[in-house]
Every structure is written in structure tokens, then in C-alpha cells.
């Protein structure tokens, strides 16, 4: 359509509708700014609004400004975000070997078990994309599907490929749906209703085997790799009924306050129940050295009891670790001991239990998400109690902190 088919008033009204949509999207996203990637999306929406407000004020709106606005895509993205559970990332970049730019996943949800790509193209544009009638170098929808499925195999969550969902705004023909499902894509079509899944019986069976639920995947984990930080936290006097202290060391006092608000050991006991516990020789040796220097008699006794339940296994040579971990650059939070502990966990396909969030964040910055259960850090404090001040009653303003499976 050409601009002269619309009056200035009509174009202004269309622009205002887009502006209203953009402002609503910003409002919907505001409470979710803590989700990684949301701030970047809000910034892009704000840029779209700035442009539309400018051409509207200047009276220079054209129909192309309306049709080419990215706000339609962002609208579908936000709608999908609001309907998704346990969202971890938005517009998440995946580094792919031999690819000029990262492969981007619109929404990573279910804790990491599901990847969603939002496709808001109109039927004609979608048909062109299916059959490759796009600009030179662009990939068809089927080629993109194969790329996402391959990436899911290369970036597992809890040692399984994430479920890849293509969420379409427009209807698809049955042949294309079947082809996408054959590749391994779960298809959602908003035109059929917000929760409509066009899954054939074969695909439903695939979903059952894939274990899309994050809670299901957590329940399936039977092998845990115990890090040095977890050994310390489990044996600490602080986590074993002795948290009513004000220590001379501010960090220990802060940990004691957290412990009074949300004890760590019950969380670890629940996690350990029914699961096999392993640790590498490096973790054991490091913990033993720390315990010998800093541990009290009670903490040493708890360590002896704990290691009746933990199997100590040889370290894994780094050259036998997954290649993604081998490529991590040492420095900062990526230290040799931590690298060895996490390499051991990945090699044995075990979830690593740790409070070392610094390593997981640094690894993530380099493109590797490690399967972990993160808990709060606790120090060995039994001997520090000698110089601490006892508290008669726990303060009322305790701080709850977060413990979760993560990848």
C-alpha cells in the first residue's frame, strides 16, 4: 500500500495506536526488569516510540513507518514472556561456532528447559521465509529450525537438550507444521488461541520423553557433585544450630543473620536425600586443608560423618572435560581449583552443588552455563565464637535469600 491511500489523520491514528502499544509494553515489562535481557528490550521499544513520536509530531508519518515497526514483534514477545514460567533470559545470545553472530533465543524459560522463538510475520512474509524467498543470505524457517535444534543439542539443560518452541502469530499450513515437528520443533500458533499447541501424537510422545518440566528434570537428577563451598557450609557450626552470634568479622555476622532467616542445612539435607554424592580429590584435599586450619572439633566431627556418605573420586583431566569448559579462560573468578571441580561434575554428568556463584557467572559470560544448585555461602565459625558476642534472641529483620537449581 502507498502512503497516498491514507489521509494524514488516518496515518496519525495508526501511529498513535502503535505508540499506545509500545507504552503498554514498557509498563508490562517494568516489573520484570530483573530478568536478564528485559532492560535491553525496553530500550529497543523506547527507541521505536521515540521515532514514532517524532514523525507523528512532524506530520511525516508514512504507512511504511507503521508496517515496518518492530512493535508488533515486541508485542508478541512480551505476550509470550508474560505467559511463560520461570523465565531466565530474554533475547539470549548463543555463541555458535562458524557463525558470524550469535544465535538469539527470544525467551529461555522453565528454568532453562525451554527455548522460545517468537515469529510475528504476516502470512505472506512467513510463506516467503518458509521457501527461502527472502534477502540474500537469509535462512528459511526450516533452516532456522534445524539450527535451533542443533544448538539445543550443543547447549543442554540438566544434561538434556532444551525443548525448542516456535511461537507463530499467523496460521501455518499443515505440511509446514509437520515438517517443523519432524525436525524437532514444538509449534504454537497464537491465531488458534493463546494456549493452542499443534502437536501430533508423535510430537506429544517426544515431549513426554524430553521432560520439559524443570521440576521433573530436577527430580531426575540422581548424582550430585559436592563443591568445597558446600562441604564448608554443611559442616559449619553456624548451620548446625549456632547462628546466634555477632562476630567481629562483619561478613560472618551477615552470614549468621542470613542463616537465622533461612537455614542452609535443611535445604542441603533435602537435596541430598535419595541422591548419590560424589566429590573430586581436589575438592576433598582443599576442604581438608581448610578444615585443619580453621575448623573446630564439632565441625571436624561433622565432616567425618559427611564423608561416610560422599564418594571421593579421582580428578578428571581437563582434556577429558567437555570442550566448552576446556575453552574457558583462567582469570578472575575462573580459577584452577574451581575449574577442576566443575569439570569433574560435567564429566560425570552430575549437578554441582556450590555457593560459588562467581564461577557460574564468569563461565556464563564466556558462553558456558553449568548445571548447578546454588546455595548461600557459610564459613567455618566454631573457633570464631570465642571472640564473638552471643545474641539472646534472633533479630526480627532477617533476610531471606535464594537457593535454586540453575543452568
Amino acid at each position: 500500500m502507498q502512503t497516498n491511500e491514507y489521509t494524514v489523520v488516518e496515518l496519525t491514528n495508526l501511529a498513535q495506536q502503535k505508540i499506545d502499544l509500545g507504552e503498554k509494553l514498557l509498563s508490562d515489562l517494568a516489573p520484570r526488569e530483573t530478568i536478564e535481557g528485559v532492560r535491553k528490550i525496553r530500550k529497543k521499544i523506547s527507541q521505536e516510540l521515540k521515532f514514532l513520536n517524532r514523525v507523528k509530531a512532524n506530520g511525516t508519518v508514512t504507512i511504511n513507518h507503521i508496517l515496518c515497526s518492530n512493535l508488533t514483534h515486541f508485542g508478541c514477545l512480551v505476550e509470550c514472556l508474560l505467559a511463560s514460567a520461570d523465565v531466565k533470559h530474554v533475547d539470549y545470545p548463543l555463541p555458535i561456532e562458524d557463525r558470524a553472530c550469535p544465535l538469539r533465543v527470544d525467551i529461555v524459560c522453565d528454568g532453562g528447559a525451554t527455548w522460545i522463538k517468537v515469529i510475528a510475520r504476516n502470512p505472506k512474509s512467513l510463506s516467503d521465509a518458509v521457501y527461502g524467498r527472502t534477502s540474500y543470505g537469509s535462512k528459511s524457517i526450516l533452516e532456522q529450525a534445524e539450527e535451533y535444534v542443533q544448538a539445543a543439542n550443543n547447549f543442554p539443560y540438566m544434561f538434556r537438550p532444551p525443548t525448542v518452541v516456535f511461537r507463530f502469530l499467523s496460521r501455518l499450513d499443515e505440511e509446514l507444521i509437520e515438517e517443523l515437528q519432524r525436525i524437532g520443533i514444538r509449534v504454537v500458533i497464537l491465531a488458534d488461541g493463546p494456549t493452542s499447541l499443534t502437536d501430533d501424537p508423535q510430537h506429544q510422545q517426544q515431549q513426554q520423553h524430553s521432560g520439559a518440566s524443570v521440576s521433573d528434570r530436577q527430580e531426575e537428577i540422581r548424582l550430585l557433585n559436592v563443591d568445597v563451598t558446600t562441604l564448608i557450609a554443611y559442616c559449619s557450626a553456624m548451620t548446625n544450630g549456632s547462628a546466634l552470634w555477632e562476630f567481629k568479622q562483619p561478613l560472618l555476622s551477615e552470614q549468621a543473620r542470613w542463616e537465622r532467616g533461612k537455614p542452609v542445612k535443611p535445604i542441603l539435607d533435602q537435596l541430598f536425600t535419595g541422591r548419590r554424592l560424589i566429590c573430586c580429590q581436589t575438592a576433598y584435599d582443599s576442604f581438608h586443608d581448610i578444615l585443619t586450619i580453621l575448623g573446630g572439633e564439632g565441625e571436624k566431627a561433622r565432616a567425618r560423618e559427611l564423608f561416610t556418605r560422599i564418594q571421593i573420586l579421582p580428578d578428571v583431566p581437563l582434556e577429558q572435560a567437555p570442550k566448552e569448559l576446556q575453552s574457558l579462560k583462567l582469570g578472575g573468578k575462573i580459577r584452577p581449583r574451581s575449574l577442576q571441580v566443575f569439570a569433574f561434575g560435567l564429566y560425570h554428568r552430575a549437578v554441582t552443588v556450590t555457593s560459588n556463584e562467581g564461577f557460574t557467572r564468569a563461565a556464563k559470560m564466556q558462553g558456558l552455563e553449568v548445571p548447578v544448585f546454588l546455595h548461600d555461602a557459610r564459613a567455618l565459625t566454631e573457633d570464631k565464637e570465642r571472640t564473638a558476642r552471643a545474641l539472646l534472641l534472633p533479630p526480627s529483620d532477617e533476610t531471606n535469600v535464594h537457593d535454586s537449581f540453575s543452568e
Side-chain angles (χ1 to χ4, degrees), residues 165 181 186-189 192-200 204:
V165 178
Q181 291 175 346
R186 181 183 182 188
V187 179
V188 177
I189 301 178
D192 294 336
T195 60
S196 173
L197 300 182
T198 54
D199 287 348
D200 59 13
Q204 291 174 0

Side-chain angles (χ1 to χ4, degrees), residues 344-398:
F344 175 83
L346 287 173
Y347 177 82
H348 288 283
R349 298 178 65 83
V351 171
T352 298
V353 188
T354 181
S355 67
N356 189 354
E357 190 173 4
F359 179 94
T360 61
R361 285 182 175 176
K364 183 177 171 183
M365 292 293 291
Q366 296 188 37
L368 175 64
E369 294 217 33
V370 184
V372 296
F373 181 93
L374 288 171
H375 62 83
D376 293 315
R378 299 289 186 265
L380 298 175
T381 55
E382 185 175 343
D383 283 351
K384 296 291 193 299
E385 293 174 2
R386 299 172 185 173
T387 58
R389 180 174 64 87
L391 300 176
L392 297 179
L393 293 173
S396 59
D397 58 339
E398 305 302 353

Side-chain angles (χ1 to χ4, degrees), residues 195-298:
T195 60
S196 173
L197 300 182
T198 54
D199 287 348
D200 59 13
Q202 180 181 1
H203 186 67
Q204 291 174 0
Q205 184 179 21
Q206 172 195 339
Q207 287 300 107
Q208 292 170 1
H209 289 301
S210 70
S213 166
V214 60
S215 60
D216 289 345
R217 295 197 185 194
Q218 290 177 5
E219 287 301 316
E220 291 172 3
I221 296 298
R222 286 290 173 260
L223 187 62
L224 299 178
N225 171 36
V226 185
D227 181 30
V228 178
T229 58
T230 302
L231 297 171
I232 291 172
Y234 194 87
C235 297
S236 169
M238 184 185 294
T239 61
N240 285 272
S242 191
L244 288 173
W245 297 94
E246 186 72 28
F247 294 94
K248 287 190 173 181
Q249 299 82 0
L251 177 60
L252 297 186
S253 294
E254 184 177 45
Q255 288 187 4
R257 186 169 66 254
W258 289 343
E259 177 66 20
R260 293 191 295 269
K262 189 172 185 180
V264 166
K265 192 169 182 181
I267 295 171
L268 294 177
D269 278 331
Q270 183 179 8
L271 178 66
F272 291 169
T273 300
R275 293 184 168 103
R276 180 185 167 206
L277 308 180
I278 60 174
C279 82
C280 64
Q281 190 67 48
T282 288
Y284 174 79
D285 292 343
S286 297
F287 172 68
H288 184 268
D289 291 344
I290 294 169
L291 188 68
T292 300
I293 298 171
L294 300 176
E297 291 305 313

